[in-house]
């Protein structure tokens, strides 16, 4: 994992958010000083009421310097809100994404001597071709060895489809001469690029207080030795009648999210059956092995972890990594689950042989899950 | 395959294009009647000079009624050029994409009784989640049987990565109870959504005269019986120092393409080695089997087929399907190669056992290839 270039505390981040909303409103409706102050009080109350607070998220990272800046006239920002009350258009956001991710991928691979057979680039926050993955592979002279797959626009659960794709590549064993027999998966999520501070709904304030940027890489191979996880089972399902509960759509000012309040409840309904199915698919005991398991739950928001804990009767110890990743970094979309996996791998308190059940959620509503065993 | 709702002859299409450019210029610079007529003559000359003509493309399909309409004030169009000289913003284009593709997928699967184990949705022309694939699967009640993978933003060559992903899924054999052991691949390309008639460069006129919409579905399975192809080998490479030759970027007015004039020449350089490698990988003879092969060449433009023919010393007969698909439908981005495959499958003149070599190109520059054998 690599931390984004900029980072703020959640307190700073929420103050910035309030200021951004005030400026957007002021630009759109030419507020006078009194109106501006009135609106500021209103938005601060709203943020206090519905945003994710400092008790659940300590810091959030971003690839754009905007988050340290409240000079809203600065035209080299995405959020130059005096000129663009929604923030700049989608083109400018995509260009910033492309620059930041190109830099990350170059640095991520700078000490890598062998090209992977496959590189799966996962993101739902920026689409420019050639992608940063293609640029890196070409610049390293790996163009004939490394195949690139874009696993784009699958939202927060994308690590599981990426693993599913990687598993197939490993089984195919189609490795070009000179390449290492491994599939690299690289997540680059720049969620901070997709705010629209001119929309002051509670829904948008929740989203804007929760999401953050994240970068992480890991590998999948047939090799069963050394540090890592064995993948025992992967599973996915779409919750009936829930298509409208969460949307993520390429729009005029970046990408636009909608998020219904009842997402945790809708996900909860089929969850016990889903988890039971994963244990069966993996050939594990849904009772004995369950109680020994650690759970990597994508922290869509703080509520979803609480909901999953209650529903599956989990102890706090079983979801420590999920809570601490949310606390340390916020919701980094698809990059979050891999960050949780790294924590579990590094955690000496999680013994070798421990089953690790992962859950992630996204538009569909889609529930994705995996069952690993820690080596 | 399903034809898009609207279709025009290339002559009509080029006349529409000229008219659109005149209106965009007129809206941007408030031209008077003389200036408008002067600009019209200029743009018609330019189109005649650089656009793909009626001799190479007969018709192009589109999912938006705009192409039959030159009332530029109509606000229910994407190209309401009196109000929006670039056409409407990316949000409106994405919404139209989502509607059209939802309709197509519903109809495509209406008579399908068994859910596929996997559905790979391939597109580089619209990203909205839940996707049309997720909507269809949910509405058919297949949410627990069919896993959905978005293979997005890989440009014209995406059918080959999609096949590569599908091959892995088939090898994994992870089929949920009730699902058919097959992977469906569905391409939905709405290239006609991404024009900007305010940019009058030869490069943009080439692009705007070439691309069209296309929808197609096919399946991959372990089953080696019946009509179809056996997949013998897949291969991909990135051409060195060619990243700038072709770009496809999510922007303010849909997606923006850049296309250097020398793309055919850059692709040509490594092509002979690439094709030779594919025959070797497939265990076929690069001389004897080569001369018996049929070639499915993605018709990026008419020139690329000519270039490939010359470079590999192919006869016209060996590329018939590639030329006729371009002639009948235009360049439908990633949907084009599968249309060519269908033609070859339907063509009684191509005997069972014939090797079919496919080539497709896109940003990177990436060259993708496959070697099939017709059953």
């Amino acid at each position: 994992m690599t931390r984004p270039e900029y980072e703020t505390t959640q307190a700073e981040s929420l103050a910035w958010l309030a200021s951004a909303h005030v400026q957007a409103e002021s630009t759109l409706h030419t507020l006078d000083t009194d109106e501006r102050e009135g609106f500021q009080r209103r938005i601060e109350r709203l943020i206090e009421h519905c945003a994710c607070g400092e008790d659940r998220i300590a810091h959030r990272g971003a690839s754009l310097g905007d988050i340290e800046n409240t000079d809203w006239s600065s035209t080299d920002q995405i959020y130059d809100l005096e000129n663009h009350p929604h923030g700049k258009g989608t083109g400018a956001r995509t260009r910033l994404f492309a620059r930041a991710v190109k830099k990350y991928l170059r640095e991520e691979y700078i000490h890598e001597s062998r090209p992977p057979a496959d590189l799966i680039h996962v993101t739902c926050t920026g689409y420019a071709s050639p992608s940063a993955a293609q640029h890196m592979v070409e610049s390293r002279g790996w163009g004939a060895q490394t195949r690139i797959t874009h696993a784009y626009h699958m939202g927060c659960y994308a690590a599981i489809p990426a693993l599913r794709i990687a598993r197939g590549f490993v089984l195919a064993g189609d490795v070009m001469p000179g390449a290492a027999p491994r599939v690299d998966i690289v997540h680059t999520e720049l969620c901070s690029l997709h705010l629209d501070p001119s929309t002051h709904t509670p829904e948008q304030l929740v989203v804007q207080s929760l999401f953050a940027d994240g970068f992480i890489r890991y590998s999948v191979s047939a090799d069963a030795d050394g540090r890592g996880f064995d993948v025992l089972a992967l599973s996915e399902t779409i919750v009936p009648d829930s298509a409208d509960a969460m949307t993520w759509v390429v729009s005029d000012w970046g990408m636009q999210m909608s998020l219904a309040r009842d997402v945790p409840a809708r996900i909860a309904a089929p969850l016990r059956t889903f988890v039971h199915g994963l244990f069966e698919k993996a050939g594990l005991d849904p009772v004995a092995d369950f109680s020994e398991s650690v759970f990597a739950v994508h922290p869509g928001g703080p509520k979803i972890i609480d909901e999953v804990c209650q529903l599956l009767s989990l102890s706090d110890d079983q979801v420590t990594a999920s809570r601490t990743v949310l606390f340390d970094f916020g919701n980094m979309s698809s990059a979050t689950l891999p960050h949780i996996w790294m924590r579990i791998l590094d955690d000496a308190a999680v013994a070798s042989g421990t089953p690790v059940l992962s859950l992630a959620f996204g538009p569909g509503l889609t529930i994705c899950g995996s069952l690993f065993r820690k080596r």
Side-chain angles (χ1 to χ4, degrees), chain A residues 3 39 65 69 81 85 89-90 95 134 162 195 251 270 275 291 329 357 361:
Chain A
R3 292 301 301 147
F39 186 79
N69 192 352
L81 301 169
T90 301
R95 286 190 292 277
Q134 290 172 310
L195 316 181
S251 299
V275 167
S291 64
F329 305 133
L357 189 132
F361 322 101

Side-chain angles (χ1 to χ4, degrees), chain A residues 10-32:
Chain A
Q10 183 71 345
E12 289 163 345
S13 168
L14 296 182
W16 181 89
L17 196 63
S19 175
H21 277 260
V22 171
Q23 183 57 52
E25 185 71 4
S26 188
T27 304
L28 276 170
H29 303 291
T30 359
L31 307 184
D32 64 27

